[in-house]
Amino acid sequence: MQHKKDKQQKTSAVKLFFKSDSTHFVVGLIIFMFSVYATIAATSFFFAGDADQSRIEGLSLFYWGHIDGIENWTGTRGAILSNILLNEGFGVAVIFLLLFLMFTGFRLMKAKYVNLLKYFIICSVLTIWTSLALSFFFGNFFRDTAIYIGGRHGLELSAIVTLNLGVPGTFLLILLAFILMMIFVSGKTIPLLRKLFSFNNKKKIKTKTQDSERKEPEDSGLIMADPEPAIQKMPEKPQNPVADNDFEVIIPKADEEEMFFPVSPEKPENEEPRPPATNVSSGYDEEEANRLLQELGVYDPTADLSKYRLPSVDLLKKYDQTDMQVDMSEQTNNKNRIIQTLENYGIKIKSIKATVGPTVTLYEIVPEDGIRIAKIRNLEDDIAMNLAALGIRIIAPMPGKGTIGIEVPNKDPQIVSMHSIISSRKYQESNFELPIALGRTITNEVFMVDLARLPHLLVAGATGQGKSVGLNAAITSLLYKKHPGQLKFVLIDPKMVEFTIYSAIERHFLAKLPDVEKPIITDFTKVIDTLNSLTEEMDSRYELLEKAGSRNVKEYNEKFVNRRLNPLRGHKFMPYIVVIIDEFGDLIMTAGKEIELPIARIAQKARAVGIHMIIATQRPTTNIITGTIKANFPARIAFRVISNIDSRTILDGQGANQLIGRGDMLFFQGSDMVRVQCAFVDTPEVERISKFIGSQPAYPTAFILPEFVGERKDKSADDFSVEDLDSMFEEAAQLIVAHQQGSTSLIQRKFSIGYNRAGRLMDQMEKAGIVGPSQGSKPRDVYVMDEYQLRQKLDAMK
């Protein structure tokens, strides 16, 4: 037995050694130093290879004999190594493999986070392709030297391919491989190739010199500048007042959309740099903390679900949309009508430029000197009538620019898919604590915010304008970034249909009250208890922050992760909690101040302890979005509303009444207002994501919030009186004794009563000695064994 125990201890020690942060750092440092040494040796080989070749030919790297006259800067070992890497291997292309070794060293040292699988595939493909290409194109030039430019690999591969395909076939194969690599690396390759292979005479690429030589102004040729940004210019007719200026149509490209690799399924990194030591009463001393850190490593909040994998981007629908197609006739007609409308009111302009977005085009105009901005702003309805378009919005002036903006909806709007947002480089490389990707702006950039910095978000808009889709987009963007150990949701859905789709992730991401069966909260009485429970969770977290000497949850978790806080003294890792309320207006109409006060309290204080709120309503009126709510929700999203008054209620200004619906929204924070097309995520996509997460190993239960008693305050035994008993007390007691299960939800179901009354009955039975105290999510103990014993106790009470 003792032998087995010693063996287990040795095995545990070995595991700890290989998991140790110090071991990883040392191994990474060795790999990095070797890659630098090999790079120096390979570089020196270009200068000393001829002199050293005869001395090292055929020698193994493990040859330890003495060789005189080696000129390589890294000595005998470096000369043999460089000969193996360059001549016997891949030639100059070996530099890519050395780069991969450097990145591996950085990753192990935690100096820089890199996706090793991604870099391995890229470096391997580049090494093979470069070796073949160099040998094919330049092999003959280095035939009489000591260096094989593409290595033996490239030389032999080139000979085999040329023998089978000939010189033209080999050239085409190398070119094809290069194009395929570029297609996977950059999303701009395919549009560029399409333009290169296009034979449409209507879209010939011309220079300005060629265009100026045209004699017929009616034949408006298309001028295209460099592909980034793609600018199409169209000369105007002579009678047009802006004819001497180029009308620019800017087609913004998606910001590096579609990375080569989709969302990585790897477990997110949680190891933070070691924070400074803290001398707090509830923590370990410096020596003890360092010992624990050395033995156990940093605390990993994801360790309980170590095999959890983030959802794959393949779960989202990819819409068959290539680069944005622009109808130049539409843009030109809109431009002419805007100019004509302004001219009719005596307003002349110097220049006009159009930026085409997914659903809206922004026309920026520069008026002649002396034109008042208010005069243009008042023509909003006239421009809308002339363009026969809904949703015209004038921004006068454009923030940070000397122009006036006129936003005009496109006739053929494009869908902004959640797939394109999640797979974008901006989202994947973001380091936000709680990243919420909302959609794309007019310039086609991915629009993201960090909920941890907002710190709360108000969403409002008329029915059917995209609020629920926006909430699903926010939840989806969080699920694609965070581990269940790092984030919890409290989902409140008075409509009972919007969030039920997330029930599958109950034991992964959801939080709820003890003794509550459904993870999605729909009963308004339970909503009140849940919100008050969150205030208790907030207060308890603040107490822990005070003991730890931390200012916010991020600092606290860094200390806990680095073994600076003692779990035996109540400390624990704090996951972020995001509270999402789908129909806030219904709750206010039903419960009023009982709902508003805990929400206001959470909004005022909870950001520092990692509790954040997103509330949505389809009734943007002043009795729903009160002054208290607006004061604590500085970040707001407005979807389309009917009236200007509703827009002012949400945004403190107009604009939301001029949106076109279907996900068109305004994001407002402080004085900044951005127009965004919300990302579209459909119900089947959310179902697939929920099922993927729900199918993985989970925690035993959902995250349990503190039990809230509320008005049911504990009374001492002396205060207990028969007169205070509920009229259903005897029936409820008989039910509990018959089932031998002290469950509040059981009373709710059997008697069809609310949670508050069922909880009050349970508290009264506890005072009467029928059931024991609360045990969190577990049922209470029942002290009365049968109905006869219960009858005796009831008679004694009377």
Side-chain angles (χ1 to χ4, degrees):
M1 187 71 180
Q2 183 64 33
H3 175 72
K4 185 177 181 181
K5 187 175 180 181
D6 293 341
K7 187 176 180 180
Q8 289 178 344
Q9 289 178 347
K10 290 179 181 178
T11 305
S12 177
V14 172
K15 288 182 179 178
L16 287 174
F17 173 77
F18 283 107
K19 288 183 178 180
S20 168
D21 189 59
S22 300
T23 303
H24 291 174
F25 187 88
V26 170
V27 173
L29 183 63
I30 292 172
I31 292 174
F32 174 75
M33 289 299 184
F34 173 78
S35 63
V36 173
Y37 175 81
T39 303
I40 296 172
T43 304
S44 176
F45 192 80
F46 282 95
F47 303 99
D50 288 334
D52 295 342
Q53 185 71 16
S54 60
R55 296 182 176 89
I56 61 174
E57 186 71 31
L59 293 182
S60 165
L61 189 62
F62 301 100
Y63 174 78
W64 291 98
H66 178 69
I67 303 175
D68 294 324
I70 294 295
E71 297 184 13
N72 192 290
W73 304 335
T74 53
T76 303
R77 205 60 42 213
I80 297 174
L81 176 63
S82 59
N83 182 62
I84 292 172
L85 292 175
L86 292 170
N87 281 351
E88 303 297 327
F90 296 93
V92 177
V94 79
I95 188 66
F96 295 112
L97 294 181
L98 295 178
L99 278 174
F100 172 73
L101 285 179
M102 288 185 183
F103 286 130
T104 303
F106 287 144
R107 171 70 181 268
L108 289 172
M109 290 189 292
K110 294 187 175 63
K112 179 179 178 63
Y113 175 79
V114 291
N115 188 324
L116 290 182
L117 177 61
K118 168 184 171 182
Y119 277 91
F120 174 75
I121 295 177
I122 291 176
C123 290
S124 300
V125 172
L126 282 174
T127 300
I128 296 171
W129 181 86
T130 306
S131 174
L132 172 61
L134 289 176
S135 294
F136 178 74
F137 290 112
F138 305 106
N140 291 334
F141 296 102
F142 290 85
R143 180 169 295 176
D144 298 327
T145 67
I147 299 174
Y148 296 156
I149 190 68
R152 191 176 297 279
H153 167 272
L155 193 66
E156 294 181 358
L157 184 60
S158 174
I160 293 171
V161 176
T162 305
L163 183 64
N164 285 275
L165 300 180
V167 173
T170 305
F171 173 78
L172 291 174
L173 179 64
I174 293 173
L175 180 62
L176 175 63
F178 176 75
I179 293 173
L180 291 176
M181 285 191 293
M182 293 306 299
I183 286 174
F184 281 105
V185 169
S186 173
K188 301 170 185 176
T189 305
I190 292 178
L192 190 63
L193 290 174
R194 283 179 179 154
K195 291 174 184 176
L196 189 65
F197 294 137
S198 176
F199 297 101
N200 189 344
N201 291 328
K202 293 182 180 179
K203 293 189 176 182
K204 288 183 179 177
I205 298 178
K206 302 178 181 295
T207 63
K208 281 194 173 183
T209 306
Q210 291 173 324
D211 184 70
S212 63
E213 292 175 356
R214 300 184 63 90
K215 296 181 180 181
E216 297 182 8
E218 291 80 11
D219 186 10
S220 56
L222 179 65
I223 301 176
M224 297 185 66
D226 292 335
E228 204 177 352
I231 301 179
Q232 298 172 337
K233 303 180 182 179
M234 186 170 290
E236 307 300 330
K237 298 182 180 181
Q239 64 268 26
N240 195 309
V242 202
D244 294 334
N245 298 320
D246 290 325
F247 170 47
E248 297 182 347
V249 179
I250 302 176
I251 311 169
K253 299 292 182 184
D255 53 333
E256 301 189 56
E257 187 180 342
E258 300 285 340
M259 291 183 69
F260 178 62
F261 286 88
V263 176
S264 171
E266 292 183 18
K267 184 176 70 175
E269 292 287 334
N270 289 291
E271 298 182 4
E272 300 286 343
R274 182 183 299 180
T278 53
N279 296 320
V280 290
S281 59
S282 58
Y284 295 109
D285 58 40
E286 180 70 13
E287 185 178 345
E288 178 67 9
N290 288 334
R291 185 187 66 80
L292 288 173
L293 192 63
Q294 192 71 26
E295 290 182 1
L296 304 176
V298 296
Y299 172 79
D300 185 3
T302 69
D304 290 339
L305 298 182
S306 59
K307 295 183 179 180
Y308 176 83
R309 291 294 176 263
L310 296 175
S312 166
V313 75
D314 297 331
L315 299 172
L316 297 169
K317 183 177 180 180
K318 184 175 182 180
Y319 290 84
D320 188 17
Q321 292 185 158
T322 53
D323 274 5
M324 195 179 302
Q325 302 298 318
V326 176
D327 186 349
M328 288 302 299
S329 63
E330 177 190 349
Q331 304 304 324
T332 305
N333 289 337
N334 286 346
K335 179 211 68 168
N336 290 335
R337 288 175 180 175
I338 290 172
I339 293 172
Q340 186 63 45
T341 304
L342 295 175
E343 265 198 334
N344 292 341
Y345 292 90
I347 300 173
K348 295 184 181 293
I349 64 174
K350 294 179 181 179
S351 64
I352 183 168
K353 178 177 70 174
T355 304
V356 184
T359 56
V360 175
T361 297
L362 172 65
Y363 295 88
E364 294 183 65
I365 64 173
V366 179
E368 293 283 357
D369 297 337
I371 302 296
R372 296 183 62 186
I373 292 177
K375 190 175 181 181
I376 298 176
R377 191 186 291 120
N378 293 333
L379 297 177
E380 195 167 68
D381 295 335
D382 299 277
I383 295 174
M385 184 180 69
N386 282 351
L387 293 176
L390 175 70
I392 300 292
R393 195 169 77 103
I394 293 181
I395 310 168
M398 291 282 291
K401 297 182 179 180
T403 60
I404 294 173
I406 302 175
E407 293 176 346
V408 180
N410 298 335
K411 288 183 179 178
D412 297 315
Q414 289 198 337
I415 294 176
V416 176
S417 68
M418 200 67 200
H419 184 283
S420 69
I421 301 298
I422 297 296
S423 60
S424 68
R425 187 178 299 275
K426 183 173 182 179
Y427 174 83
Q428 293 199 28
E429 295 183 352
S430 71
N431 56 0
F432 291 165
E433 291 294 322
L434 295 173
I436 294 181
L438 294 172
R440 290 189 183 274
T441 63
I442 288 179
T443 58
N444 216 21
E445 296 179 8
V446 173
F447 185 78
M448 291 181 59
V449 294
D450 188 356
L451 184 60
R453 296 180 183 177
L454 289 182
H456 311 288
L457 184 61
L458 170 65
V459 183
T463 304
Q465 302 305 316
K467 295 187 307 302
S468 296
V469 173
L471 294 178
N472 284 332
I475 296 173
T476 299
S477 55
L478 289 170
L479 291 177
Y480 267 87
K481 271 289 187 182
K482 308 303 288 186
H483 186 278
Q486 302 168 319
L487 173 67
K488 301 297 175 185
F489 290 102
V490 175
L491 300 181
I492 299 174
D493 182 16
K495 292 192 289 188
M496 305 183 188
V497 293
E498 294 296 341
F499 290 151
T500 53
I501 199 170
Y502 295 105
S503 298
I505 63 173
E506 172 186 353
R507 293 188 296 138
H508 294 85
F509 281 102
L510 300 189
K512 65 178 184 179
L513 289 170
D515 293 331
V516 174
E517 289 186 353
K518 295 181 180 179
I520 311 301
I521 304 159
T522 56
D523 184 359
F524 82 93
T525 56
K526 293 180 183 176
V527 172
I528 296 172
D529 288 345
T530 300
L531 292 174
N532 284 293
S533 173
L534 284 166
T535 62
E536 293 186 4
E537 173 73 13
M538 176 183 73
D539 292 338
S540 66
R541 287 189 172 198
Y542 266 112
E543 290 177 4
L544 292 178
L545 256 65
E546 182 183 13
K547 291 178 182 178
S550 302
R551 295 176 300 171
N552 53 55
V553 68
K554 188 174 181 181
E555 290 183 7
Y556 178 91
N557 282 340
E558 284 182 1
K559 291 178 180 179
F560 189 84
V561 161
N562 287 278
R563 309 287 181 181
R564 260 49 192 172
L565 300 174
N566 190 346
L568 298 178
R569 297 180 181 176
H571 288 289
K572 58 185 179 181
F573 184 86
M574 296 183 189
Y576 284 99
I577 298 177
V578 177
V579 185
I580 302 180
I581 305 176
D582 183 40
E583 190 38 71
F584 174 68
D586 281 351
L587 298 177
I588 289 291
M589 298 285 286
T590 306
K593 293 293 182 183
E594 287 186 273
I595 290 288
E596 185 179 354
L597 292 178
I599 286 179
R601 188 158 179 257
I602 293 170
Q604 287 170 350
K605 292 182 59 180
R607 68 175 297 178
V609 292
I611 301 176
H612 304 275
M613 299 193 75
I614 302 176
I615 63 175
T617 181
Q618 62 183 8
R619 296 193 188 105
T621 55
T622 52
N623 62 327
I624 301 298
I625 305 177
T626 62
T628 304
I629 294 297
K630 290 175 70 173
N632 293 293
F633 285 79
R636 303 167 205 162
I637 290 176
F639 290 89
R640 185 170 182 259
V641 294
I642 304 302
S643 68
N644 191 25
I645 296 174
D646 290 345
S647 177
R648 291 184 181 278
T649 303
I650 306 167
L651 303 173
D652 298 326
Q654 63 180 6
N657 58 312
Q658 298 159 328
L659 301 174
I660 61 175
R662 297 177 62 84
D664 190 18
M665 70 184 193
L666 290 172
F667 178 84
F668 172 80
Q669 186 177 22
S671 59
D672 298 329
M673 194 178 299
V674 183
R675 191 167 186 173
V676 179
Q677 178 60 39
C678 182
F680 179 69
V681 53
D682 205 358
T683 302
E685 298 175 76
V686 180
E687 284 180 346
R688 288 195 293 270
I689 294 169
S690 296
K691 287 180 180 177
F692 175 82
I693 295 174
S695 65
Q696 301 188 58
Y699 296 107
T701 63
F703 184 83
I704 301 301
L705 297 171
E707 185 175 13
F708 176 72
V709 179
E711 297 179 357
R712 308 181 301 277
K713 298 193 181 289
D714 291 338
K715 298 181 180 180
S716 65
D718 297 336
D719 295 333
F720 183 74
S721 172
V722 177
E723 286 76 14
D724 295 332
L725 293 179
D726 191 284
S727 59
M728 297 182 67
F729 176 82
E730 190 167 331
E731 295 174 71
Q734 289 173 350
L735 175 71
I736 293 299
V737 171
H739 286 78
Q740 286 294 301
Q741 182 182 357
S743 170
T744 306
S745 58
L746 176 64
I747 299 175
Q748 283 183 269
R749 290 196 309 274
K750 291 296 183 182
F751 298 112
S752 299
I753 60 176
Y755 180 82
N756 284 353
R757 189 176 183 185
R760 187 161 53 249
L761 284 165
M762 189 62 71
D763 289 344
Q764 290 175 356
M765 282 187 272
E766 181 183 350
K767 299 296 184 299
I770 298 172
V771 298
S774 172
Q775 303 183 65
S777 60
K778 296 166 60 177
R780 298 173 185 244
D781 294 329
V782 181
Y783 295 157
V784 178
M785 304 307 297
D786 53 33
E787 190 171 352
Y788 175 75
Q789 188 179 353
L790 173 64
R791 179 53 55 192
Q792 287 183 321
K793 183 174 282 291
L794 292 175
D795 291 339
M797 290 170 56
K798 295 176 181 178

